Amino acid sequence: MTLLQRLPRPRTLKTKTRIAVLLVLLLAVGNVLTLQFLLGKSSDLAATLNVAGKMRMLSQRIAVEALATHGFAQPAAGQFEDSYRAFDTAYEALRRGGRAFELQVRPLDAPLQPLLPPLQAGWLEYRQTVDALLAATPPDRAQVARVLAASGQLLERAESLMQQLVAHANQVQQRALWSSMVLFGIDVLVLLAGYALIARRVLRPVYQLTLQCREMGRGNYNMRVQLDSSDELAELAGSMQQSAAQIEQLLCDVARERTSLAQIQAMFNGLADNEVAGIYMLDAQLRIVYANEQLARMFGHPLQAMEHLPLARLFPPADYEAVQASVRERLEGRAHSARYERSAQHADGHTFDIEVFGTTMQFQGQPAIIGLMLDISERRRAEASARRAALVYQHTCEGMVVTDADGVVLDINPAFTTMTGYQAHEIVGQRLNRLSSGRQDRAFYQAMWDSLQKTGSWSGDIVNRRKNGEEFIEQLTISTSYNPDGSVNSRIGLFSDVTQLRRKEATIWHQAHYDHLTQLPNRQMFQDNLRRCVEQSRHSGLPFALAFLDLDFFKEVNDSLGHDAGDELLRQVAQRLQGCVRSTDLVARLGGDEFTLLLQGLKRLEDAHPVCRKVLHAIAQPYALGSATAEVSVSMGLAYGPRDGHDGETLLRRADLAMYAAKEQGRNQFCEFTPELERQAQGRRLQQEQDSQAQPQQGQGG
């Protein structure tokens, strides 16, 4: 709280007026004092300029008199001492302040003080030249010239002082002008502040009180004027507000009494005019004295027929006895209200379920019952359906989980606990990522949520982790339940453990696509990958290489060491081949001692040659087969897609031709397919066909 806030405020308009007059007087006194100060400043500057001018004139007069005396008569002793003292006195007055030439002078301001030492030095030099002139006999022209030079120098320094004094006087006048303008601005601000204070404390309260009087004259007594003062106007405002409040209260009481019955009737009519609840009123004779349209529709009677209808007509006999006992209990004051469910009887004879609410009241001086009835047939059927669904939910062998729209678990069934090991209290309120095994990446879950956002459902296999850390594969189906406004109410997950099934399927698939001896892809899987390579090469434009391999001298090893040794040799060959290629390449066994390589994504055809040389070297190394050692080599044929063929069958056939060319050239080497190899093969087939046709003819001739 500031000091101004702690000061007591003037409580009366008279006090406020006195304070305003005092402030104006203080402002006037301040203006006079400020003006007096500025005038004094100007007088001081005028006196200073006057003294400086007289000093300049005095110096010139001394020179004139000295020259005149020197030319015509002998100077008297101490002739210029008075003039010297007058100049020195004026100099000291300018430097320290004092009287000079009958004028009171203030010392020069600090910025002008540096001009006095040069003036004093010029004055001393000037005096010396004057004294030297007066002492010289006969007259000396050179001495006169020195006096004139010193006089000119002193005059120049005096002129410089005068100019600085004039400039300083101008600055003082400018500051005085600005001070006057600032003083004027302060006066304006003070007057404006005074007007604002009067407007706020006097004029505005008067205007507000005037508005309140006008509104009260128009019958509006709700308007209130809040004045933050404690003067006569505030007391007047308080009296007017108290009067307005009393008048308003009287009018409200009258209006409330006149409209209370109409409001009660309107509320009852609004409550009765609904399409959900039937509203009724019973008299002491258990007859209906009021029924709304919904009650008439519920029981199938015309609305007019419902009035004075006995209550017994609305219930089957067995249920009416219990209803009658409940109503009598309330009419006799033993209970105030009741709620129960019973079977009701429709006008056409069929029964339906209702829920009854009733409470006692006074009607025309007699006890009566008022309440409502709800048709709960649909609710009963829904509850029965929910109970059946709960039985399925609790006893199904498939795991079920219900989450909210953000994936937080709301409920699980017992099968969920059986499969995952998590009890309800351990997983409800948590996210299902608690079951995550880490096998699925972010992209997998992003695709799942995208499907749920777009279609509301997702289905697929997912690897999760049980509470004990064991991983299992679940076949999961997620569906979404929506609110009437289209927002997500919940998501329902239904899953089953398919770990063993997927393992069996994986085993069957592996057996169908991999060689049982070497665990390399078999001919079927090789054909599938070859077709994919052809398609990828067609789209990417990059070539790939197909290498057909056949072991040299494998039959000799198999015959000499036995089939077991031959099988071991094939397994070691498979391992060495896999070590020669990239992870993106494919090694396959077609059968027997025939293997293939698929080298994908080559930038140049020659990029396959280093791999082939690596394979030749690796296969040619000795093999440890039990206690025996064997050596074999390999012949390789290369065909490039799409250069040597646009389909897998053509490429495989041409790689086979290149492999046979490698064998014919001495084995343990690789050859690339050329069109010449295919022409030679066609020539051999044609020759074989001719030879086979010639042999039967020779037999007939013999």
Side-chain angles (χ1 to χ4, degrees):
M1 181 180 292
T2 64
L3 179 60
L4 291 177
Q5 291 174 327
R6 291 196 296 268
L7 290 175
R9 292 181 178 178
R11 301 182 60 85
T12 65
L13 294 176
K14 183 177 181 181
T15 304
K16 294 179 181 179
T17 304
R18 290 176 177 176
I19 292 176
V21 171
L22 179 60
L23 289 176
V24 173
L25 290 175
L26 291 176
L27 182 62
V29 172
N31 291 339
V32 171
L33 293 177
T34 302
L35 184 59
Q36 183 178 3
F37 171 77
L38 295 177
L39 291 175
K41 193 72 172 178
S42 299
S43 298
D44 292 340
L45 285 174
T48 302
L49 281 170
N50 196 354
V51 170
K54 288 186 177 183
M55 290 174 66
R56 181 182 63 179
M57 294 176 61
L58 179 61
S59 65
Q60 297 305 307
R61 190 182 72 182
I62 292 173
V64 172
E65 291 179 355
L67 291 174
T69 303
H70 181 71
F72 298 97
Q74 183 67 26
Q79 178 180 355
F80 296 108
E81 288 301 324
D82 292 339
S83 298
Y84 290 165
R85 282 193 298 272
F87 191 95
D88 291 337
T89 300
Y91 175 79
E92 289 299 322
L94 292 177
R95 189 166 70 92
R96 298 180 180 179
R99 294 188 63 81
F101 302 116
E102 304 300 328
L103 296 173
Q104 185 68 31
V105 180
R106 295 174 59 84
L108 292 181
D109 293 340
L112 299 177
Q113 286 288 339
L115 298 174
L116 293 178
L119 180 64
Q120 176 69 7
W123 165 248
L124 294 176
E125 182 181 355
Y126 176 68
R127 285 182 59 178
Q128 293 174 1
T129 57
V130 170
D131 291 342
L133 175 66
L134 296 176
T137 55
D140 186 354
R141 289 183 177 272
Q143 197 69 31
V144 172
R146 282 193 292 272
V147 169
L148 292 177
S151 175
Q153 185 178 13
L154 179 61
L155 178 61
E156 180 181 350
R157 293 179 181 179
E159 286 291 341
S160 176
L161 176 61
M162 290 290 293
Q163 291 175 0
Q164 293 295 329
L165 286 173
V166 171
H168 182 64
N170 291 334
Q171 292 178 358
V172 170
Q173 290 177 356
Q174 189 67 26
R175 286 197 294 269
L177 177 61
W178 281 107
S179 300
S180 300
M181 294 177 66
V182 171
L183 182 62
F184 176 74
I186 294 174
D187 293 343
V188 172
L189 291 177
V190 171
L191 292 175
L192 290 176
Y195 174 77
L197 181 63
I198 294 174
R200 179 180 177 184
R201 296 293 183 181
V202 179
L203 299 181
R204 187 169 67 178
V206 170
Y207 177 72
Q208 291 177 333
L209 292 174
T210 302
L211 289 180
Q212 184 175 12
C213 291
R214 290 177 182 174
E215 291 298 320
M216 292 176 63
R218 296 171 183 172
N220 179 14
Y221 298 96
N222 294 323
M223 184 176 180
R224 296 290 184 268
V225 175
Q226 299 294 334
L227 300 182
D228 55 349
S229 63
S230 57
D231 54 15
E232 295 89 344
L233 294 177
E235 294 179 1
L236 177 60
S239 299
M240 291 180 63
Q241 291 173 9
Q242 185 177 4
S243 300
Q246 293 176 353
I247 295 173
E248 182 181 14
Q249 184 63 41
L250 291 174
L251 293 177
C252 289
D253 292 342
V254 173
R256 188 180 301 109
E257 292 177 359
R258 291 176 60 185
T259 58
S260 59
L261 293 177
Q263 290 177 349
I264 294 174
Q265 184 64 40
M267 291 172 58
F268 184 79
N269 292 338
L271 180 64
D273 188 16
N274 73 90
E275 297 182 356
V276 177
I279 297 178
Y280 66 93
M281 183 184 294
L282 296 176
D283 60 10
Q285 288 73 38
L286 301 187
R287 292 177 303 179
I288 296 177
V289 295
Y290 174 82
N292 68 345
E293 293 185 1
Q294 177 60 23
L295 187 70
R297 285 193 296 269
M298 188 185 304
F299 285 91
H301 293 284
L303 181 60
Q304 295 78 6
M306 292 292 293
E307 295 183 5
H308 306 293
L309 187 71
L311 185 63
R313 295 277 302 275
L314 303 182
F315 294 91
D319 289 271
Y320 177 68
E321 294 180 3
V323 172
Q324 183 182 28
S326 175
V327 172
R328 290 295 183 189
E329 185 179 34
R330 280 171 283 157
L331 289 175
E332 294 171 2
R334 287 176 289 151
H336 178 68
S337 62
R339 173 188 174 277
Y340 50 87
E341 296 179 2
R342 290 287 181 269
S343 293
Q345 185 170 335
H346 195 267
D348 61 7
H350 79 272
T351 59
F352 59 98
D353 296 319
I354 63 170
E355 185 174 10
V356 181
F357 300 86
T359 184
T360 57
M361 62 170 293
Q362 290 292 318
F363 178 67
Q364 295 180 353
Q366 297 292 327
I369 301 293
I370 187 171
L372 55 87
M373 299 181 185
L374 296 173
D375 186 345
I376 60 172
S377 301
E378 290 294 332
R379 191 180 77 187
R380 286 280 183 88
R381 286 191 288 269
E383 290 173 351
S385 177
R387 286 192 294 271
R388 290 191 295 270
L391 290 174
V392 174
Y393 184 73
Q394 292 293 326
H395 297 91
T396 181
C397 61
E398 293 182 312
M400 297 181 69
V401 57
V402 181
T403 72
D404 63 11
D406 298 323
V408 177
V409 177
L410 302 176
D411 194 14
I412 61 173
N413 72 336
F416 181 97
T417 301
T418 302
M419 292 187 194
T420 66
Y422 286 100
Q423 300 291 334
H425 69 275
E426 296 175 309
I427 200 68
V428 171
Q430 306 289 327
R431 292 183 177 274
L432 284 176
N433 55 13
R434 190 170 184 179
L435 278 65
S436 175
S437 64
R439 294 296 187 88
Q440 291 77 218
D441 57 12
R442 182 184 297 273
F444 175 87
Y445 290 106
Q446 186 62 47
M448 174 192 293
W449 280 106
D450 289 345
S451 177
L452 290 175
Q453 293 292 333
K454 294 177 181 178
T455 66
S457 62
W458 181 87
S459 180
D461 286 358
I462 184 171
V463 180
N464 275 336
R465 193 184 301 276
R466 306 186 206 273
K467 183 180 178 181
N468 61 8
E470 177 187 358
E471 291 185 356
F472 70 102
I473 304 173
E474 65 179 49
Q475 187 178 35
L476 174 64
T477 299
I478 304 176
S479 56
T480 303
S481 173
Y482 295 97
N483 293 315
D485 61 357
S487 60
V488 175
N489 177 274
S490 60
R491 302 192 191 276
I492 301 96
L494 181 67
F495 66 94
S496 56
D497 188 345
V498 294
T499 306
Q500 297 301 325
L501 176 62
R502 295 295 182 260
R503 288 175 180 172
K504 290 180 181 179
E505 292 175 348
T507 301
I508 294 172
W509 185 88
H510 188 275
Q511 291 173 350
H513 292 81
Y514 283 84
D515 176 55
H516 71 282
L517 177 63
T518 63
Q519 299 304 312
L520 292 176
N522 58 14
R523 180 182 292 271
Q524 179 179 346
M525 191 171 181
F526 164 73
Q527 294 287 356
D528 294 340
N529 280 271
L530 180 57
R531 282 192 293 270
R532 280 196 293 271
C533 281
V534 172
E535 290 296 325
Q536 291 175 1
S537 177
R538 182 179 296 116
H539 288 92
S540 66
L542 295 176
F544 69 94
L546 168 60
F548 193 98
L549 291 75
D550 185 82
L551 297 180
D552 303 325
F553 309 112
F554 173 73
K555 185 176 183 303
E556 288 77 356
V557 174
N558 207 23
D559 292 342
S560 60
L561 299 180
H563 291 288
D564 291 340
D567 291 345
E568 177 61 24
L569 176 63
L570 291 175
R571 283 191 288 268
Q572 294 187 27
V573 167
Q575 294 175 359
R576 295 184 184 185
L577 289 176
Q578 288 180 312
C580 293
V581 299
R582 302 167 299 180
S583 60
T584 57
D585 299 328
L586 179 74
V587 180
R589 182 190 179 203
L590 301 187
D593 59 348
E594 294 180 344
F595 297 85
T596 57
L597 303 179
L598 277 177
L599 309 178
Q600 306 177 50
L602 301 178
K603 296 182 179 179
R604 300 179 306 162
L605 300 183
E606 294 78 7
D607 292 343
H609 293 178
V611 179
C612 294
R613 286 190 286 270
K614 188 176 181 181
V615 168
L616 293 175
H617 176 75
I619 300 301
Q621 302 304 310
Y623 295 85
L625 305 176
S627 59
T629 302
E631 293 184 2
V632 296
S633 60
V634 65
S635 297
M636 301 175 60
L638 278 176
Y640 298 101
R643 189 195 72 176
D644 298 329
H646 296 283
D647 60 85
E649 182 180 355
T650 301
L651 288 171
L652 184 61
R653 177 170 50 81
R654 291 179 173 176
D656 183 53
L657 289 176
M659 183 273 294
Y660 277 109
K663 283 187 177 292
E664 291 175 356
Q665 294 176 13
R667 303 181 181 181
N668 194 26
Q669 57 183 295
F670 68 90
C671 287
E672 293 184 351
F673 169 79
T674 62
E676 180 61 27
L677 294 178
E678 191 162 36
R679 286 193 293 270
Q680 292 176 3
Q682 291 176 353
R684 286 193 297 270
R685 285 197 299 272
L686 182 59
Q687 185 63 42
Q688 290 174 359
E689 291 176 359
Q690 292 176 353
D691 292 343
S692 63
Q693 291 176 0
Q695 287 178 0
Q697 293 176 359
Q698 292 175 359
Q700 292 176 1

